[in-house]
Amino acid sequence: MGTTSGGTGRHVRMLVEGLVRRGHQAAVVGPGSVEEAFSFREAGATFAEVPVSDRPHPLNDLRAVLAIRRLTRDADVVHAHGLRAGALASLALRAIRPRTSKRAGAEYQETGRQGIGSQEAGGSTPAGGPSGGKGPGVVVTLHNALTAGGFVGFVYGVLERIVARRADRVLVVSPDLAERMTALGARKVGEAVVPAPPLRPARRTPEEVRDELGAGDRPLVLTIARLAQQKGLDTLLDVAAGPWEGPMPLFAVAGEGPLREELQDRIRGRSLPVLLLGDRDDIPDLLAAASVVVNCSRWEGLPLSLSEALMAGKPVIASGVGGIPWLVGDAGMLVPYGDAEGLRSALRKVLDEPGVARTLSEAATLRGRELPDGDDAVESVLGVYEAARSYG
């Protein structure tokens, strides 16, 4: 895995715990920062530090490829998380194979959402793998999509092609990613099961949280997001600017990131009712106090923040992008990305009509109970591992 401080690291930790409980040996390879953040050794895995940077660097990437090859030579399966780690693992362990037809990865569209744990990425495969040689099976989970263009977008496209042409199995978090990887020649594309951990109980009352934030009697609109370009927070600021009839909501954003200074300048310059809370370790408390949870992202796969909102029984308003429509189902209101007026209108409806909020809250509670858990995720990847192992 590469550098992460959020959902990918939590997901890998969940897989490690489940695999170790079932008697499997697990090793995590990645930057030292991820061991500091997620304590994989504590979960029962071994850990080897290999820097995997966010940006391509030819010499460092070559070193990483050689280290991955050395550290994983005795593994049955190597499961890489994220495009950078996936490309490096694919380069380390798999030779390029002939491009397959676009039909090859179509199982995702046909079966990928019919049931958690379905083995759409499995199936019998002749021994020898795409390289025709021996070695660990290579599974890559793509947790995200790039929304930037230019040189960064070009590099991203190159890495996608490496993964599509070399990995034995590609798991994705949304149908659009499945279509893209299939079009690039991925032989087997399957659904990634990425659940949120169980939501712990709130430690403070909603009143205590609202007092801390200075919400008073105003509705509290909560967004849980990294302060980054992908999250579409410029749209949230446009929504907060109004106009509003009745009490003006207080918007609170839990998360940190590179756009903090830029966003704070806009908030200050327009006197917007928006609080940037930074990283928080009391998300359940914030959820309990929130009137509604809003997501404005340009793209998301299966955001853990929305899974947590559903498990907390909160009304959800979100961009209808990536994997969000499947995740939310009928438990929330979806709006096109970047549609500030549409988002504001949906927010008014939830805040001004108690019946709407109550209906969405009840639907969220039901949907939260239906979502997959850690056992579902582990059982799903074990089936994929068995298929990739026979393929390696």
Side-chain angles (χ1 to χ4, degrees):
M1 59 189 299
T3 302
T4 178
S5 59
T8 300
R10 292 163 66 186
H11 178 64
V12 174
R13 167 75 189 232
M14 178 185 293
L15 293 182
V16 165
E17 291 173 340
L19 292 168
V20 170
R21 270 200 312 271
R22 288 162 175 78
H24 300 286
Q25 296 180 4
V28 178
V29 176
S33 61
V34 298
E35 170 60 18
E36 294 174 6
F38 299 103
S39 303
F40 298 112
R41 290 190 181 101
E42 182 182 276
T46 59
F47 180 82
E49 181 174 357
V50 173
V52 178
S53 62
D54 292 334
R55 303 289 181 181
H57 186 288
L59 182 57
N60 291 342
D61 287 349
L62 175 60
R63 289 171 177 161
V65 165
L66 295 176
I68 291 168
R69 183 178 298 166
R70 173 176 53 82
L71 291 165
T72 62
R73 64 179 57 164
D74 295 325
D76 293 307
V77 177
V78 173
H79 188 173
H81 293 265
L83 186 60
R84 285 279 293 141
L88 294 175
S90 298
L91 287 168
L93 299 167
R94 279 288 175 265
I96 197 166
R97 57 179 166 76
R99 177 171 172 156
T100 59
S101 69
K102 291 185 178 181
R103 182 68 182 166
E107 292 93 336
Y108 183 97
Q109 295 292 357
E110 296 171 354
T111 66
R113 294 300 183 193
Q114 291 180 358
I116 295 303
S118 61
Q119 300 309 320
E120 71 279 3
S124 61
T125 312
S131 63
K134 296 180 179 179
V138 178
V139 178
V140 177
T141 294
L142 300 181
H143 292 264
N144 219 324
L146 190 73
T147 57
F151 179 71
V152 174
F154 169 76
V155 172
Y156 188 94
V158 171
L159 298 181
E160 284 183 317
R161 284 170 173 79
I162 291 171
V163 169
R165 301 292 297 278
R166 292 175 182 251
D168 299 320
R169 298 291 187 273
V170 179
L171 304 181
V172 294
V173 294
S174 67
D176 55 332
L177 276 179
E179 292 172 2
R180 180 167 177 81
M181 296 308 292
T182 298
L184 291 174
R187 186 183 185 282
K188 289 288 186 179
V189 180
E191 172 189 3
V193 180
V194 185
L199 191 67
R200 67 162 177 78
R203 297 190 178 111
R204 295 181 293 164
T205 66
E207 292 73 23
E208 289 173 324
V209 175
R210 293 175 62 85
D211 287 345
E212 177 208 334
L213 301 180
D217 295 329
R218 292 182 291 170
L220 179 60
V221 179
L222 178 64
T223 295
I224 306 168
R226 188 165 182 264
L227 307 184
Q229 178 257 8
Q230 177 191 331
K231 303 303 181 180
L233 295 173
D234 49 344
T235 301
L236 185 70
L237 300 192
D238 290 340
V239 171
W244 291 98
E245 297 176 5
M248 179 181 292
L250 176 63
F251 294 78
V253 182
E256 196 53 83
L259 296 186
R260 166 175 276 279
E261 186 174 346
E262 176 183 328
L263 293 170
Q264 191 63 66
D265 287 344
R266 289 186 60 188
I267 293 167
R268 189 180 300 112
R270 300 171 67 184
S271 299
L272 300 178
V274 180
L275 299 177
L276 301 183
L277 305 180
D279 287 330
R280 303 282 295 214
D281 61 1
D282 60 347
I283 295 300
D285 302 51
L286 294 172
L287 285 169
S291 307
V292 59
V293 174
V294 169
N295 175 292
C296 303
S297 292
R298 298 169 181 262
W299 189 90
E300 291 280 3
L302 300 173
L304 301 187
S305 60
L306 288 187
S307 294
E308 291 173 331
L310 295 171
M311 289 189 289
K314 290 297 173 178
V316 167
I317 303 172
S319 301
V321 297
I324 289 179
W326 174 85
L327 177 64
V328 172
D330 62 358
M333 301 175 70
L334 302 179
V335 297
Y337 162 71
D339 183 0
E341 184 52 46
L343 181 55
R344 190 182 299 114
S345 176
L347 197 49
R348 284 197 187 104
K349 195 172 186 65
V350 172
L351 296 179
D352 295 344
E353 300 182 30
V356 172
R358 184 167 53 253
T359 298
L360 288 176
S361 180
E362 292 171 354
T365 299
L366 291 175
R367 181 61 179 143
R369 292 170 182 165
E370 295 171 350
L371 293 177
D373 60 17
D375 285 335
D376 295 319
V378 175
E379 292 302 322
S380 178
V381 297
L382 281 172
V384 175
Y385 293 170
E386 189 59 37
R389 180 182 179 183
S390 67
Y391 199 51

